[in-house]
Amino acid sequence: MSKTVLVVDDSSSMRNLVSMTLTDDGFEVIEACDGRDALQKLSGQKIHLVISDVNMPNMDGITFVTEMKKLPAYKFVPVVMLTTEGSDEKKKAGQAAGAKAWVVKPFQPAQLLAGVRKLLMM
Amino acid sequence: MNAKLMPVGPGAVVVAVIGSAMLAATATSLGLVHVAMMLGLVLLAAAASFWERKGICATLAVGGATAPYTHSLHDVSDASMTRWSQHIDMVRRQTETAGSELTRDFAAIRGQLREMLDSVGTDSQGGVVAVLDNSQSDLKGMLDQLNKALEDQKPMLREVEGLVKVTDDLKQMATAVGDIARQTNLLAINAAIEAARAGESGRGFAVVAAEVRRLSAESGSLGKRIKDNVEAVNIAMAKTLATARQMSAQNETLTSTSEVTIKAVLERFGDVANGLSASTQHMTDVSEDVRKKVGEVVVQLQFQDRTSQILAAVCTDIERLIERMRGQEERLARGEALEPFDVQAWIAELEKTYTTMEQFDAEHPSAQAPVESTEMTFF
């Protein structure tokens, strides 16, 4: 059974590239354009992992992860932050929100997949 | 009022802001059109700064007749910067739309390419190679069985040859029986003669001699029949042996010819299999090469996200500058003193909106290099 990944990014091209990378490797992908949209997409969906941008309109990635972790069904879903931000300050904020990994864009497909597989213990 | 005019005008701030953005943007693989546009913006900003400084000089020279100039400067800056902001945002959105289409098309092409490589690649060709390998194995097995059948025929031939020898012995034995019968007949004739010579006393012996003679005649007849039958068997055996030898020779020839033919077919199979194997390896190499290139293209296609964020920061800052100038305009209208710009504070505020490292390092040579991907950090 394939794993489902929620990809959250306000850039549709980034969503396309991440989705392509994941689906090529056999993952199912659900896309959301910001944190608020992602929370709505979560409802009732079985999600195995989240890849989220940080800077997004309506609701940023850090807030989204914080809110998602409050939901019992998604409390232990691993989160990868995929962002142009690379400062330690932002990384600490992501870690505090509950993210398990941090990738600075641009991402390498092979590296992203390796990280995702590691987090999903595949 | 002249002494309270801005020591560094808005044009200078715009130069600083847009110049910084342009360097950042060029560092992220923007197209030439975008770079040209950014350069145009910088030139416009530089011109504004120049005329602003000229205005300040003129103000110093002619005293209090600065209001019309200041108003017009603010108006033109407001109008220009509003348009610059709109245009930058338009470029950002157009780039985003094009980037999105590009990545979607790229994903579709990548999918088709992958499908094609899979269909003509390792699986199908590997299957053919496997079939050829199996065929080679089957044909070799058949050849072995033919050779075994040939070997198995040899003992049978030896047995038949042995039987022929036995029938020869039987023939000699039948001849010997005939000879013994003839000898016995001669003895019986002699006995009959001697019995006749003995007269009345030899009459009983004559009866025995006649009986012995009759038995020798039967023995001779039996011996002849045995000899005839043995000869018939011998002829049949000889024919069977000849046929068996002929068949064996034909089988040997057939096996030999089959061996040569099968070897030739196997060699052709081997050539085809080797060719296919090489082709499969080539396809595997091509597939791996394509995979690497796709990875590189995926990295490069992410420029849009970076440039979008950089341009968004520029738009935000231009809008902030417009707001600031409108505030100054209102102060001017109320006859209040204008607040000078604090460039350091302004830039510090701008830097808060930066989302990429190259925005901070825009003037550093490293920012001109292509942006490299980094390792994933695990918490």
Side-chain angles (χ1 to χ4, degrees):
Chain A
M1 183 188 160
S2 59
K3 304 278 185 184
T4 303
V5 179
L6 175 65
V7 177
V8 191
D9 202 304
D10 58 322
S11 162
S12 56
S13 57
M14 281 305 299
R15 290 201 303 275
N16 287 341
L17 293 171
V18 176
S19 293
M20 182 191 77
T21 302
L22 293 170
T23 51
D24 268 5
D25 210 48
F27 290 94
E28 296 281 336
V29 174
I30 296 171
E31 295 184 16
C33 62
D34 57 43
R36 200 164 64 189
D37 186 31
L39 284 176
Q40 287 172 352
K41 295 268 171 67
L42 278 179
S43 57
Q45 288 281 357
K46 175 69 180 168
I47 303 290
H48 296 92
L49 184 133
V50 171
I51 297 176
S52 177
D53 189 12
V54 170
N55 298 303
M56 293 182 289
N58 300 319
M59 184 187 287
D60 66 78
I62 303 291
T63 309
F64 158 63
V65 176
T66 306
E67 292 300 314
M68 189 191 81
K69 292 287 178 181
K70 289 178 186 171
L71 304 171
Y74 302 101
K75 190 174 180 180
F76 298 107
V77 172
V79 177
V80 178
M81 304 306 296
L82 177 60
T83 174
T84 52
E85 300 271 8
S87 68
D88 289 340
E89 187 186 347
K90 287 281 184 183
K91 284 182 183 176
K92 280 177 186 167
Q95 187 178 10
K100 287 286 180 194
W102 191 279
V103 185
V104 177
K105 294 172 185 174
F107 73 87
Q108 274 278 2
Q111 283 176 2
L112 182 69
L113 284 172
V116 166
R117 289 190 166 279
K118 185 176 176 182
L119 288 171
L120 290 173
M121 291 183 279
M122 292 171 75
Chain B
M1 178 172 171
N2 293 343
K4 290 177 182 172
L5 271 175
M6 295 172 269
V8 178
V13 173
V14 171
V15 169
V17 170
I18 297 180
S20 151
M22 190 202 77
L23 286 166
T26 51
T28 54
S29 308
L30 262 179
L32 283 174
V33 174
H34 299 145
V35 173
M37 183 175 173
M38 299 302 284
L39 190 59
L41 292 174
V42 172
L43 289 172
L44 277 169
S49 175
F50 172 77
W51 284 111
E52 182 186 357
R53 287 172 192 281
K54 292 272 285 182
I56 292 168
C57 293
T59 300
L60 290 171
V62 298
T66 59
Y69 167 75
T70 307
H71 281 301
S72 66
L73 181 63
H74 279 204
D75 288 347
V76 77
S77 299
D78 191 320
S80 296
M81 284 192 288
T82 300
R83 281 167 177 74
W84 296 346
S85 174
Q86 288 169 345
H87 291 171
I88 290 173
D89 191 50
M90 184 179 68
V91 167
R92 190 181 65 79
R93 280 186 280 109
Q94 284 179 355
T95 310
E96 192 168 323
T97 305
S100 179
E101 295 284 332
L102 192 63
T103 51
R104 194 178 302 119
D105 290 347
F106 175 71
I109 291 168
R110 159 76 182 130
Q112 288 167 350
L113 189 63
R114 187 184 177 131
E115 208 171 289
M116 188 185 75
L117 285 172
D118 285 349
S119 66
V120 299
T122 311
D123 288 348
S124 60
Q125 294 198 2
V128 173
V129 170
V131 167
L132 289 177
D133 282 345
N134 288 338
S135 301
Q136 282 191 354
S137 177
D138 290 348
L139 286 172
K140 276 181 182 167
M142 198 187 78
L143 204 59
D144 291 343
Q145 282 183 345
L146 278 174
N147 280 321
K148 188 173 181 301
L150 204 61
E151 286 298 314
D152 289 347
Q153 281 181 350
K154 287 179 179 171
M156 189 191 76
L157 277 176
R158 280 196 296 273
E159 290 290 326
V160 173
E161 281 168 353
L163 279 174
V164 169
K165 192 164 182 273
V166 169
T167 55
D168 282 344
D169 290 345
L170 283 173
K171 192 179 166 185
Q172 284 174 7
M173 284 163 76
T175 304
V177 168
D179 290 345
I180 290 168
R182 273 193 302 276
Q183 292 289 332
T184 307
N185 190 41
L186 281 175
L187 281 173
I189 290 169
N190 286 332
I193 292 167
E194 290 301 325
R197 196 176 289 170
E200 189 63 28
S201 59
R203 189 172 297 169
F205 191 71
V207 172
V208 173
E211 194 60 25
V212 168
R213 194 177 170 195
R214 190 182 62 79
L215 286 174
S216 72
E218 281 183 13
S219 297
S221 174
L222 187 63
K224 187 174 182 307
R225 275 165 50 204
I226 290 171
K227 190 181 171 189
D228 290 346
N229 284 341
V230 166
E231 272 184 359
V233 169
N234 216 8
I235 289 166
M237 291 290 292
K239 280 183 181 174
T240 304
L241 185 62
T243 306
R245 278 178 177 154
Q246 191 182 0
M247 281 176 64
S248 180
Q250 282 176 350
N251 284 344
E252 207 161 332
T253 308
L254 184 67
T255 305
S256 178
T257 309
S258 299
E259 199 166 1
V260 171
T261 306
I262 287 171
K263 274 184 181 167
V265 170
L266 288 180
E267 277 176 14
R268 284 203 292 272
F269 272 19
D271 291 344
V272 172
N274 287 339
L276 280 172
S277 186
S279 176
T280 302
Q281 185 57 46
H282 179 64
M283 291 302 287
T284 306
D285 293 345
V286 167
S287 186
E288 179 61 20
D289 196 37
V290 167
R291 196 187 62 75
K292 281 181 186 166
K293 292 285 180 200
V294 164
E296 290 168 12
V297 173
V298 165
V299 171
Q300 294 305 320
L301 280 174
Q302 293 172 59
F303 82 91
Q304 183 275 321
D305 185 57
R306 307 179 74 80
T307 53
S308 180
Q309 293 191 40
I310 293 166
L311 292 177
V314 173
C315 280
T316 304
D317 204 58
I318 290 175
E319 283 159 14
R320 187 162 64 100
L321 185 58
I322 292 167
E323 284 301 310
R324 170 68 187 263
M325 287 182 64
R326 285 175 183 167
Q328 296 288 52
E329 183 82 3
E330 287 167 8
R331 288 174 72 93
L332 197 65
R334 292 195 296 270
E336 297 173 7
L338 299 180
E339 283 183 18
F341 273 80
D342 180 345
V343 177
Q344 293 304 318
W346 187 271
I347 295 299
E349 195 64 27
L350 169 64
E351 288 183 346
K352 286 182 185 173
T353 66
Y354 286 177
T355 56
T356 66
M357 295 308 288
E358 63 261 34
Q359 282 171 294
F360 290 100
D361 301 330
E363 292 178 20
H364 193 274
S366 64
Q368 314 305 316
V371 179
E372 299 287 343
S373 58
T374 56
E375 296 283 331
M376 184 181 280
T377 305
F378 291 95
F379 299 134

